[in-house]
Amino acid sequence: MSAELAAKTEGLSVSGTPVFVDKVGGSDEAGRGTQEAPFKTPVAAVAMMAERQGEFTVVVRSEADGAYEEITATALKKAKNAHELAVKKAKKQAEQAARDRTQIEAQEAATAQKLEESKQIRLEQDPALAAAKEIRIQDATAHRGARVRVSGWVSRLRTQGRDMMFVVLRDGTGHLQCILSGRLCHTYDALTLEPEAAVALYGVVREVPAGKTAPGGHELVVDYWEVVGAAPGGSEAFGNRLNAETDPSLLYQQRHLVIRGDTASAVLKVRARVMRAFREHFDSVSYVEVTPPCMVQTQVEGGSTLFAFNYYGEEAYLTQSSQLYLETCLPSLGAVYTMAESYRAEKSNTRRHLSEYTHCEAEVPFITFEDLLNIIERMVKDVVARVWAEPETRAMIEQLNPGFAPCDEPFLRMRYEEAIKWLNDAGIKRAEDGKDFEFGDDIPEAPERKMTDTIGRPILLTHFPGPIKAFYMPATKDDPRVTESVDLLMPNVGEIVGGSMRIWDHDDLAAAYAREGLDPAPYYWYLDQRKYGSCPHGGFGLGIERFLAWLTNRHSVRDCCLYPRFVGRCQP
Ligand code: 4AD
C-alpha cells in the first residue's frame, strides 16, 4: 500500500475486510473493491460480497481526496435493495432469453420440417386441362382465356399467408402478374423461391377484375409451375447484391446484374430501336450499309487518342472512325453508312467519353456543305420521328425522359466565330487563364454545354478553324481561316455529331499530310480516291451513346451501352 493511501485509511477501524467504494474515482466495471481498485457504487460492493464467503465492511468516500468511512446502515440497506432488484431483473431477462431461444429453435425446427415435408409434395399437370401453348409475355393479350406456358425470371415476389403467392414475371418482352394458390405454394420450390429465379408457369391469362391493376391489364392464374434455374436467398440474394445504396462505381462492376433492372433494360431496348431506326432511315434514302475493319494502320482523328497494338509484329490501331473506308466505297456503292465500334484512348473521365463507342457514320458523294447540314438535320429528326411513332418505344422514352418532345423547328445554325462571341458576351471565360475566348481556341466541353443548354435547342455549329480540326477538312472558299466542318450540339449532352466536307483534290490532300507531319505512305489507298474520279463529298459520325444520353436523358454515356469501357474499366 502506498504511503498516500495508507494516510487516507488512517484511523479507520472496521470489523470485517473492508470493501472500498470511491464515488469519484472508482469503477464498478474495472474495480475489485480493494483500495487500489475501488468500486464506484455501494451496489457493486454488495454484489461482490454476495458472491464471496467472509465478513466484509463497506467503506466509502465521496470526495476525491477524502478519507474512507464505514457505510451508514441506511446506505447499506439501500444498496442491498438495489442489488436484489438487479438480481431479480437479470434472472427475468435470462428466463425470457431462454424462452425466446426455445421459440426460435422450435420455429426453425418447424420450418425445417415443413421444408422436408414439402419435398414430398409433387406437382403434376392435370391431363384434363388443355395443352399449354408456349407464349411470350408480349403476346398475352392475344391469348386471354387460353391455357399458356410462359417462361421468364421472377422480377418481384410476394407471399400472402400459406396459400397465395404473387409473382411478377419478366421475359424481356414485358411483365406479367402471376397468381399461385393452394398446393402450388406448398412445394419445396415454392418455399425456397427467390427473386431472379428462372421459372416456367402454366395457366390461363385472365383480365384483372374491375378496380384492380396489373401490367397489361391481365394476370396468369397458374395451375402448374416449375423452377428452371433457382436463385439464392440469404446474403447471396439478388436484393443484397444491388440496392439503392450501392456505390455507383460498384454498379459498373455489377453491370451484368444492373441490366436486369427496369431502367437499364429500358435504355437498352430504346437503344435497339434507335439503331433499327437509323438503319431504316438510311434504307429510306438508299444508303448502303458497309462493315469496315476495326483493326487499322491509319489514324483519322489525331494520334493522341489511338489505341495501339501489335499486329503480327507491326504497329496497328483500333479504329477511331470508319470515315476513310466509307469514302473509298463511294465510287462503287454511292452513299454509304456503317454502325460499328470506334475506339478512343480518352484519358479524361467525363460523362460523354467512352473508350469504345458505337459510331454511326455516313458518307455522301456529290454534295455541298449546305447539303451536308441538311442531311444531318433530316436524319436526326427522322430517326426521332420513327422511334416516337412506336407506342412501346415512345412509352419508354417518356418514362426515362418525362417531357421529351421531338424538335419540330429548324436546328439553329451558328458559326464557330459567333459561338466565341456568344461565350464572351455571356461572360464565360477560358478555364486556363480566366480570359476571354479568342478565335482559334478549342471550345471545351463545359462552356459548349453551357451555351447549348442556355440556347436550349439543337445547334449546327459550323466553320471551325483548320488548326483545331482533322487533316482532311477543306478550307471554305470565302474564309480560308475556317473549314467546312460541323458539330451538332444537343441540350444536356453537347456534341453528338461531328462531320465535314473532305479535301477532294489530290495535291491539296498531299499538302495537308505534309502540314500535319503525317507520313502519307500508309494512306496510299485514301490518296488513290483523289486520283481515280474524285468528287466533292462529305459525311459525319454520330455517337449512338451520346444520341441516347440526349434522347433518354441519361447523365452519362456509360449508362447508354451494354458494358461501358472507360479509363480503368474493361470488365465485365
Ligand atoms: O467528331 P468525331 O471525332 O468525328 C469523327 O470521328 C469523324 N471521322 C466522323 C465522320 O465524319 N465520319 O466523332 C464523331 C462523333 C462525336 O460527335 C461523338 O458523338 C462521338 O463520335 N464520339 C464519342 N462518343 C463517345 N465517346 C467518345 N470518346 C467519343 N468520341 C467521339
Side-chain angles (χ1 to χ4, degrees), residues 1-10 35-36 61 68:
M1 189 191 299
S2 72
E4 201 189 331
L5 283 176
K8 300 275 160 56
T9 54
E10 221 171 82
Q35 191 161 6
E36 291 80 2
R61 75 172 177 191
Y68 281 99

Side-chain angles (χ1 to χ4, degrees), residues 300-301 305 320-324 326-327 342-346 350 352-363 469-470 472-473 486-488 493-500 502 538-547 557 565:
V300 190
E301 299 299 326
T305 61
Q320 294 170 308
S321 158
S322 299
Q323 174 199 323
L324 309 192
L326 294 190
E327 288 184 53
S342 279
Y343 302 85
R344 306 277 169 110
E346 306 277 3
T350 81
R352 67 178 199 184
H353 286 98
L354 292 163
S355 305
E356 177 180 59
Y357 70 96
T358 304
H359 205 170
C360 173
E361 296 183 272
E363 200 64 31
K469 282 292 177 183
Y472 52 76
M473 297 189 182
V486 57
D487 280 358
L488 174 60
V493 179
E495 179 198 331
I496 66 161
V497 174
S500 78
R502 322 303 189 188
F540 60 86
L542 172 145
I544 290 289
E545 293 79 10
R546 290 202 192 169
F547 181 88
V557 287
R565 298 290 182 246

Side-chain angles (χ1 to χ4, degrees), residues 125-183:
Q125 290 208 60
D126 182 349
L129 294 174
K133 182 177 173 204
E134 176 89 41
I135 65 158
R136 297 208 289 168
I137 292 175
Q138 64 180 6
D139 303 320
T141 307
H143 290 83
R144 280 187 188 176
R147 186 160 185 269
V148 296
R149 169 186 147 113
V150 195
S151 305
W153 290 264
V154 176
S155 194
R156 281 183 289 278
L157 175 65
R158 184 165 65 85
T159 309
Q160 195 178 296
R162 208 178 105 79
D163 291 322
M164 273 299 222
M165 280 168 67
F166 297 90
V167 169
V168 176
L169 193 71
R170 183 189 75 229
D171 75 347
T173 75
H175 290 86
L176 179 64
Q177 177 163 297
C178 309
I179 299 179
L180 286 74
S181 57
R183 264 188 111 235

Side-chain angles (χ1 to χ4, degrees), residues 227-375:
V227 168
V228 179
S235 61
E236 273 273 77
F238 191 82
N240 289 333
R241 296 281 299 270
L242 288 184
N243 55 47
E245 289 93 51
T246 307
D247 187 303
S249 64
L250 274 182
L251 291 180
Y252 292 117
Q253 186 70 8
Q254 304 290 339
R255 181 117 177 114
H256 57 297
L257 304 179
V258 170
I259 58 175
R260 296 188 181 205
D262 290 347
T263 304
S265 60
V267 174
L268 291 178
K269 279 184 191 166
V270 174
R271 180 184 165 106
R273 307 285 163 80
V274 159
M275 290 181 67
R276 186 174 69 195
F278 272 107
R279 289 204 161 89
E280 285 169 358
H281 168 77
F282 288 125
D283 210 30
S284 76
V285 287
S286 301
Y287 292 12
V288 176
E289 180 169 6
V290 289
T291 42
C294 280
M295 303 157 113
V296 301
Q297 288 190 311
T298 46
Q299 55 163 278
V300 190
E301 299 299 326
S304 68
T305 61
L306 281 174
F307 269 112
F309 67 97
N310 181 324
Y311 187 79
Y312 305 112
E314 287 181 21
E315 177 157 284
Y317 318 108
L318 295 177
T319 188
Q320 294 170 308
S321 158
S322 299
Q323 174 199 323
L324 309 192
Y325 294 106
L326 294 190
E327 288 184 53
T328 67
C329 297
L330 299 180
S332 54
L333 304 174
V336 285
Y337 78 97
T338 188
M339 270 198 276
E341 306 312 293
S342 279
Y343 302 85
R344 306 277 169 110
E346 306 277 3
K347 274 96 197 163
S348 51
N349 243 322
T350 81
R351 61 181 168 115
R352 67 178 199 184
H353 286 98
L354 292 163
S355 305
E356 177 180 59
Y357 70 96
T358 304
H359 205 170
C360 173
E361 296 183 272
E363 200 64 31
V364 195
F366 303 111
I367 55 167
T368 63
F369 184 50
E370 178 64 21
D371 293 334
L372 178 65
L373 302 185
N374 293 335
I375 287 169

